Structures are given as C-alpha cells and as structure tokens.
Amino acid sequence: MLGAVQPFLLEKEYEKNPDILQDDIRKLKEWLKTQPHLPGELLTDLDLIITFHSCDNSAQVTKQVLDLHYTLRTLFTTLFKDRDVDQRIINSMNTVLLAPLPTPTVKGYRAVFCGLLDPDARLFNFADVIRTTMMVLDLWQYAEGTWPGFVIIIDMNQASLAHIAKLDIMILRQTLYFLQECMLVRLKEVHFINAPSFMDKLMMLLKPFMKKPLLDMIHIHETGSQELYKFIPKKAFPKDLGGDYKNKKDIGDDLIHWLQDNKQFYIEENKRRVNEALRPDGKKTTIEDLFSIQGSFKKLDID
C-alpha cells in the first residue's frame, strides 16, 4: 500500500466492476460539462468510477452525490481547505493511528483502524484528527480504486471523558453528514472496540446526527470480547492487538512518510472545489441550506 501513489489502472477497475460500462462514465463526463460550478475538468475517469460505484451504479444519484461531495469539500473549510502534510497533520498522526488494514474483512471489505497512540487528551485535536483521517482515506482510495465495502473500526482503549469533552459539535455534525450523504464508499460496518463505561455518553453525542441506517451498522464490543473477529480476521490487526500486522508505532511512522511522499496528490486535490458563482440555478449553497435538507442522496448499505 505504501509508496508513491499512481492512479489505479482503469482497465483493472472495469475488470473489478463489469457492471460499470465505459459509456456510463462517458455520459457523466458529458453531464459535467453542463455544470460549470463543479471541477469537472479536474476529475479523472477513476474519480467518476469511484463515485458511480459508491452510488450503486445509479447515474442520477451519482450526479447528486458528485455535486454534494465537492460542495462540502468547499464549504467544510476546517476539514478540507488547503490541505497539506504540515506539522498539525504530523502531530495528529503521532497522537491518533489512522491505519488502513492490509487484510480484508471476512466479507472482503476494506477496513480502517482508528485508535489513540498517545492517551494525553491535551494533545487531542478533534478537527485535526478528522482532517487527517480524510487525507489518509483519500490517498488510500486513490491507490486502490473501488472497494466492495468499507468498514470503520474505532478503538476506545485509552480514550477518556477528557477526549469526549474535546469533540467539537459542529465538526462532528459535518463529519457525520459527509459520511452519510456523500462519502465515496459503500459503508457497511462501524465497530467500536474496547468500549469504556462512558460509551453511552459518546452515543448520546452522536445519535442526533445519525440516521437509522448508520445506527443499524454500529457494533459495540466490550474489552476482551472476541465478537469482532467474526467480522475481521484477528491477523488483520496490529501486533499490539494480537494481530500479524506491524506494531502501531511503526504503522503510524510509515503512514506519515507515505503522506509526505505524496504531497503533490493533495496539491492537485485542493483544486477540486466548487465555484458557487457559476452554479447554473444561480443559488449559492450554504452550510445552513445543507443542514436543512431532509432525506438522503446516498443509500447506506446494511448487511
């Protein structure tokens, strides 16, 4: 996974997804020409394949999700504006491990492991952690292309109420909105492991911003539970957790170098934003407008 990232060969993507036709992507490119506010000229065929796949190959949903995806990347400036592998990102990666696991889940999905490397809550900056998470996921997906499914594992070991107190509500709301409405993955499962006694307090914070499909995906595992391994092989995890992968510190160091080796990727990605002044209907979209929208563009998949 690590190393210089090259766009995934399109031929491989079409082999992986025989139900996606080149003509589907051609039609999306033609549609993008009618949407001057979107960064259509900067989007590659791989970007469109990933989006189309994440939307269950629906052209109509793909158009809505493409618009919302890049609109949110423009409006949610704390998470997406002028991203670079700077010191705040490195500090975040030294505090929290955001590790794409090398081994697929039991059902063949790709999984990301998130957990504290340093338990000192004073070092925990929630906005920077989410910003870093999005940077890691973007690069990983660019390296691998489409995934049949996506799984999030959050290790609550070493987490404290002091960490929960540092969760910024607006950032939390934006993150969950992006995840549910237009993140370019087929989200299948969310696992909280080593759940602490205050897990109920965390869920109380999360639930107001979560729709039922996402709530139904959540699995909470207490410390010592073996239930998680029914979903994800134990060997997939870091050695610190009894798996066969590298230890957490080495994984974190490798990820920092990986992002640093691919700074150009973020320079180019930063250009893919919306110009609201060119929106065809003339109505600029605001965060307030988005959060007042009812319904969902993108359907979450539940096993």
Side-chain angles (χ1 to χ4, degrees):
M1 178 193 72
L2 303 183
V5 169
Q6 298 295 332
F8 207 78
L9 292 176
L10 293 178
E11 292 79 5
K12 293 289 185 183
E13 278 300 316
Y14 287 118
E15 288 175 13
K16 284 163 61 179
N17 303 289
D19 50 345
I20 297 179
L21 305 177
Q22 293 187 37
D23 195 51
D24 296 322
I25 305 307
R26 181 191 62 78
K27 289 176 180 177
L28 286 173
K29 292 168 77 171
E30 288 299 314
W31 170 79
L32 279 169
K33 293 177 182 177
T34 71
Q35 306 297 311
H37 64 298
L38 294 178
E41 293 183 357
L42 301 178
L43 301 184
T44 66
D45 284 17
L46 177 61
D47 294 313
L48 298 180
I49 289 172
I50 288 173
T51 309
F52 192 63
H53 177 268
S54 76
C55 297
D56 296 323
N57 303 351
S58 165
Q60 188 57 39
V61 175
T62 299
K63 292 173 184 178
Q64 294 172 318
V65 167
L66 272 171
D67 195 319
L68 185 61
H69 182 83
Y70 288 103
T71 296
L72 295 194
R73 283 180 180 256
T74 306
L75 293 177
F76 294 172
T77 55
T78 303
L79 304 184
F80 296 109
K81 184 177 175 59
D82 297 332
R83 298 192 300 176
D84 187 16
V85 189
D86 52 22
Q87 192 58 48
R88 66 194 270 202
I89 298 301
I90 293 172
N91 290 344
S92 180
M93 295 184 79
N94 284 326
T95 303
V96 178
L97 179 65
L98 307 160
L101 297 182
T103 305
T105 72
V106 171
K107 294 186 176 181
Y109 307 147
R110 303 301 272 147
V112 63
F113 176 89
C114 313
L116 289 170
L117 288 171
D118 192 320
D120 188 346
R122 293 172 297 181
L123 302 176
F124 180 75
N125 184 307
F126 182 59
D128 285 353
V129 167
I130 299 300
R131 184 178 174 92
T132 305
T133 301
M134 296 300 181
M135 289 179 69
V136 171
L137 294 181
D138 283 353
L139 189 60
W140 182 28
Q141 191 169 41
Y142 187 69
E144 293 196 352
T146 57
W147 298 318
F150 182 64
V151 174
I152 301 171
I153 306 158
I154 301 172
D155 187 359
M156 296 297 292
N157 185 37
Q158 301 190 90
S160 66
L161 283 171
H163 290 96
I164 304 302
K166 297 191 75 172
L167 299 182
D168 182 292
I169 294 299
M170 180 53 72
I171 298 299
L172 187 63
R173 186 180 190 187
Q174 290 181 4
T175 303
L176 289 172
Y177 189 84
F178 185 81
L179 176 67
Q180 294 175 94
E181 301 295 347
C182 63
M183 193 166 171
L184 305 181
V185 294
R186 293 182 177 181
L187 185 62
K188 299 288 187 176
E189 304 161 11
V190 178
H191 297 270
F192 287 93
I193 64 174
N194 296 311
S197 58
F198 55 83
M199 191 68 205
D200 58 331
K201 294 182 173 61
L202 175 59
M203 292 307 298
M204 284 177 62
L205 276 176
L206 299 177
K207 282 183 177 179
F209 311 120
M210 299 170 74
K211 296 178 180 179
K212 188 176 184 300
L214 180 55
L215 281 168
D216 290 344
M217 289 183 195
I218 293 177
H219 305 265
I220 298 175
H221 309 276
E222 296 180 356
T223 302
S225 170
Q226 302 294 302
E227 190 73 17
L228 177 67
Y229 305 131
K230 294 180 181 179
F231 299 89
I232 302 134
K234 189 172 184 178
K235 67 178 183 180
F237 290 89
K239 289 180 179 177
D240 318 54
L241 299 176
D244 293 342
Y245 197 20
K246 294 171 289 190
N247 65 60
K248 291 192 287 186
K249 179 66 168 62
D250 288 344
I251 296 170
D253 290 344
D254 287 347
L255 285 167
I256 290 173
H257 293 312
W258 188 46
L259 264 63
Q260 290 175 325
D261 288 344
N262 289 283
K263 284 191 172 188
Q264 187 63 34
F265 169 80
Y266 299 106
I267 292 173
E268 297 303 320
E269 200 287 322
N270 288 335
K271 300 173 184 176
R272 299 177 181 186
R273 299 295 180 264
V274 166
N275 184 342
E276 290 292 343
L278 298 178
R279 194 174 284 276
D281 61 9
K283 183 181 179 183
K284 294 183 179 181
T285 303
T286 66
I287 291 178
E288 291 74 18
D289 292 335
L290 290 170
F291 284 153
S292 68
I293 294 174
Q294 299 299 314
S296 174
F297 291 137
K298 189 168 175 293
K299 178 176 71 68
L300 295 175
D301 296 308
I302 306 173
D303 286 350

